[in-house]
Amino acid sequence: MSHTPVLIVGAGPTGLMMACELARYGISFRIIDKKPERTLTSNAAGIQTRTLEILNHIGVGNTFIRNGLVCKSLNIYLDNLAPLKISFEHLDSLYRYILMLPQAETERIFISRLEEYHHHVERPLELTSIFKLAGDGYEATLKHPDGNIEKMTCDWIIGCDGAHSTLRDRCNMKFAGEDLQEQFMVADAVMDSFLPNNELHVFNSKGRALAVFPIGKNNYRLAANLHLEYQRQFFTEKEVKELVIDRGRKEFNVQSISWISPFWIHSKLVHQFRYDRIFLAGDAAHIHSPVGAQGMNTGIQDAYNLAWKLALVINKQAAPTLLDSYQAERYPIVKAIVKDTEKLTRFIISENVFFIWARNMIVRFLQNRKSFLNKIAMKMTQLSIDYQNSPIIDYHTINRQSPKPGMRTPDVQIQNGKHLFDYLQNPKHNILLFSGQNPSNHIMTDLQEIQKWITENYASLTCSFIVINDPAQISNTTIYDSDLLIHKKFNIQHPGIYIIRPDSYIGACNATIDKKIISQYFDKIKSG
């Protein structure tokens, strides 16, 4: 009977992200999927800005961008009002756009990355049962396509097997929530458009919505609610063309339709993302409305959050209780997304006269409120996500204007086209030791001494860099902040410390250079 430390069930974007991350951390695993081949349709096509930062951090960002289509804004057309433009060009990120890329391509890129690590997806291979072993771990039964049954053991199981998760069912984990009665339709179309091809467009009139998202030259993803009196499984190309003409303000000329599929919206969430040594991620743990293109991105971030913690536990660098922080950090985020997308969907498709009036009033209010629109863009692109009540984060702050623990680390473009994140592309914690704007020789001596101490005590867990604007001090353990752009972004004038987690969220910070801050943080990580 074979054994693997981790069994990943499901090879959609969430499972593939989990596999790529475990491979990056050097953890052995198997990833299986009962489908005979990867997704070949467009499905989840929007990659949010925060996800692009993550993909860049793990080394595949440029590949995604080369294959995708950059969209710089979202335009909302309500009844006869002027369009409401939500621009992404002012986002607090180096990626000031949403990337449109069919899910087929997303999975292809992830699989290619996995192959670079000498791993592959085993398919079609179906998990049929699991059995808890007397000690730690599980025995899993796998069904091969020829009917042969394989039994194997594993220490941990990650369920990324979608909304109809077999693993979730085997664990009797309740998938609570509601279903919207309204039927929807999604399609891929080749169209001529009078509107910009690098922007997203949503039309809504009296509760009848149409979303038009470019995914390539003259190629578009369409989505619409249908207001049918009865459910239907099939739609004709002619019906889709008529729907676009009726709702799209005559801005499009549909040439052909390549794929049409009905769908229904479910808002469901498990209350526990962890069951013993089993974890759920992505659609296996939560499903919700596609409004705002949050689903796939949320699943990818689930995997990004869990992988580094599991790697530390498997490598015996942290106690298993560290993994409790997966629930503590991700559940509140996902719960809010499920709730918000359901409310927004009901608001959009409602035919209630009061709701229609309210929608129009909100759009009129937002038309010239750039600060509000920027906040909406930050939330939509998931840049505003932060972990507010984590047991493993030290919430002491430097000052009100500095990035706070629990927030994503801001990237900064520095000299010679380099970015701060270029230094952080490693599978460890990164400790930034800020010199301050005018460091004395005494401060530099202290910084170098503490950096040596970090190496001696935490080399397996960390990389450390002195952030300084003195070109004479440049080395492979410093970051040359020539114009103090990093200092300014972090709002630091005097020496200070930032501890950046492997998932590029801030774990701790302090306005003093103190070994105690570092040791306390890693004591918390090690103890969970």
Side-chain angles (χ1 to χ4, degrees):
M1 188 180 299
S2 64
H3 177 82
T4 187
V6 183
L7 174 64
I8 303 171
V9 183
T14 300
L16 291 169
M17 176 68 178
M18 190 74 201
C20 288
E21 279 292 82
L22 290 182
R24 192 166 69 97
Y25 291 116
I27 301 299
S28 297
F29 62 89
R30 290 176 68 179
I31 176 170
I32 66 171
D33 197 297
K34 65 182 180 181
K35 295 188 298 184
E37 58 186 0
R38 65 175 173 85
T39 300
L40 298 177
T41 48
S42 60
N43 290 39
I47 301 179
Q48 300 290 358
T49 309
R50 176 57 186 153
T51 305
L52 289 172
E53 291 184 345
I54 291 169
L55 296 173
N56 173 66
H57 183 230
I58 68 173
V60 293
N62 288 338
T63 304
F64 274 86
I65 293 167
R66 281 197 303 270
N67 286 274
L69 178 69
V70 168
C71 285
K72 297 183 178 181
S73 67
L74 166 65
N75 298 307
I76 300 174
Y77 308 82
L78 280 188
D79 296 319
N80 296 317
L81 299 180
L84 176 67
K85 181 184 287 287
I86 300 175
S87 174
F88 306 129
E89 295 186 280
H90 304 288
L91 291 172
D92 182 20
S93 175
L94 297 180
Y95 304 99
R96 297 184 177 95
Y97 50 82
I98 290 175
L99 189 74
M100 298 305 297
L101 184 71
Q103 185 175 329
E105 283 297 289
T106 292
E107 292 188 15
R108 182 190 64 79
I109 294 170
F110 272 138
I111 289 170
S112 178
R113 179 65 162 178
L114 203 55
E115 290 171 349
E116 292 176 12
Y117 286 117
H118 306 291
H119 287 278
H120 69 281
V121 179
E122 300 178 61
R123 65 167 87 235
L125 193 55
E126 181 179 2
L127 174 74
T128 58
S129 66
I130 55 172
F131 175 74
K132 182 74 170 71
L133 299 175
D136 294 328
Y138 286 84
E139 179 182 290
T141 303
L142 310 178
K143 183 179 179 181
H144 288 259
D146 58 6
N148 285 338
I149 299 299
E150 175 190 353
K151 290 188 179 295
M152 52 90 66
T153 59
C154 55
D155 300 319
W156 307 89
I157 307 179
I158 315 297
C160 307
D161 49 342
H164 304 288
S165 170
T166 299
L167 187 61
R168 186 186 63 235
D169 292 343
R170 296 292 182 270
C171 296
N172 294 316
M173 300 174 77
K174 187 177 180 181
F175 205 29
E178 299 182 10
D179 299 329
L180 272 69
Q181 296 303 311
E182 179 85 22
Q183 185 175 356
F184 293 75
M185 175 274 299
V186 65
D188 286 348
V190 176
M191 305 192 303
D192 295 321
S193 171
F194 294 102
L195 297 176
N197 190 49
N198 64 345
E199 298 179 349
L200 312 174
H201 307 283
V202 176
F203 303 86
N204 192 337
S205 179
K206 298 180 174 58
R208 285 166 168 76
L210 170 68
V212 181
F213 300 153
I215 54 175
K217 185 178 180 180
N218 296 332
N219 292 316
Y220 291 84
R221 153 66 65 82
L222 308 176
N225 65 322
L226 299 175
H227 277 294
L228 299 176
E229 295 181 358
Y230 56 92
Q231 294 184 355
R232 291 177 55 186
Q233 293 292 335
F234 302 101
F235 300 89
T236 66
E237 183 171 339
K238 180 175 180 292
E239 288 175 312
V240 176
K241 288 182 177 180
E242 289 174 349
L243 186 147
V244 173
I245 293 172
D246 180 54
R247 301 186 189 181
R249 294 190 174 187
K250 297 182 173 56
E251 296 285 1
F252 308 99
N253 179 26
V254 181
Q255 301 296 327
S256 62
I257 305 292
S258 60
W259 174 61
I260 309 170
S261 178
F263 72 94
W264 289 262
I265 290 177
H266 314 281
S267 292
K268 296 185 177 182
L269 174 68
V270 294
H271 294 299
Q272 291 293 328
F273 286 13
R274 178 183 183 183
Y275 175 85
D276 189 52
R277 286 175 163 244
I278 296 171
F279 297 87
L280 298 180
D283 287 357
H286 46 81
I287 54 173
H288 48 80
S289 168
V291 167
Q294 303 293 291
M296 178 184 69
N297 295 275
T298 304
I300 287 173
Q301 292 202 47
D302 288 344
Y304 190 55
N305 181 282
L306 177 59
W308 70 272
K309 300 170 183 177
L310 185 58
L312 287 181
V313 170
I314 290 173
N315 289 330
K316 301 188 184 306
Q317 294 176 305
T321 47
L322 172 66
L323 297 168
D324 293 338
S325 65
Y326 174 60
Q327 168 79 16
E329 292 181 352
R330 293 303 297 167
Y331 179 78
I333 299 297
V334 175
K335 183 180 180 181
I337 289 173
V338 172
K339 180 180 178 181
D340 291 347
T341 53
E342 179 181 345
K343 283 184 176 180
L344 185 56
T345 301
R346 292 183 184 277
F347 194 62
I348 289 171
I349 67 176
S350 174
E351 294 179 276
N352 181 284
V353 175
F354 172 76
F355 277 5
I356 292 173
W357 173 83
R359 279 200 303 263
N360 292 346
M361 290 298 292
I362 290 171
V363 167
R364 287 192 180 99
F365 171 79
L366 290 174
Q367 285 288 357
N368 297 306
R369 303 308 201 279
K370 290 187 178 180
S371 61
F372 278 94
L373 294 175
N374 288 341
K375 287 181 180 179
I376 292 172
M378 287 288 289
K379 186 169 185 177
M380 178 179 174
T381 55
Q382 300 194 342
L383 292 172
S384 61
I385 287 176
D386 63 274
Y387 301 131
Q388 298 179 1
N389 295 290
S390 171
I392 60 169
I393 290 176
D394 180 351
Y395 288 97
H396 178 85
T397 60
I398 290 182
N399 58 58
R400 292 180 63 183
Q401 285 74 41
S402 293
K404 297 173 178 57
M407 295 174 62
R408 62 182 250 282
T409 303
D411 199 0
V412 183
Q413 185 167 356
I414 44 183
Q415 75 291 339
N416 299 325
K418 297 201 72 171
H419 301 165
L420 173 61
F421 275 16
D422 292 338
Y423 294 90
L424 310 184
Q425 288 182 328
N426 58 72
K428 296 183 179 183
H429 282 79
N430 286 279
I431 302 179
L432 302 181
L433 304 171
F434 286 86
S435 67
Q437 297 186 10
N438 295 292
S440 64
N441 290 334
H442 175 71
I443 288 174
M444 287 306 304
T445 300
D446 287 348
L447 289 170
Q448 291 163 356
E449 188 274 332
I450 199 170
Q451 189 175 49
K452 180 181 178 182
W453 173 84
I454 291 169
T455 302
E456 291 172 348
N457 290 275
Y458 300 103
S460 63
L461 291 171
T462 71
C463 292
S464 64
F465 300 93
I466 297 174
V467 183
I468 188 169
N469 70 333
D470 183 356
Q473 301 284 347
I474 295 176
S475 72
N476 59 359
T477 60
T478 63
I479 298 175
Y480 178 43
D481 191 16
S482 59
D483 298 315
L484 293 171
L485 296 177
I486 304 175
H487 278 76
K488 291 173 183 176
K489 189 71 173 182
F490 284 76
N491 198 43
I492 290 180
Q493 297 181 356
H494 307 289
I497 296 176
Y498 265 86
I499 301 177
I500 312 302
R501 305 190 328 180
D503 61 356
S504 69
Y505 280 84
I506 299 167
C509 62
N510 201 277
T512 60
I513 302 294
D514 190 344
K515 296 176 183 177
K516 186 178 179 181
I517 302 301
I518 298 170
S519 60
Q520 285 179 341
Y521 174 81
F522 285 107
D523 285 346
K524 187 180 292 187
I525 291 294
K526 289 180 179 180
S527 67

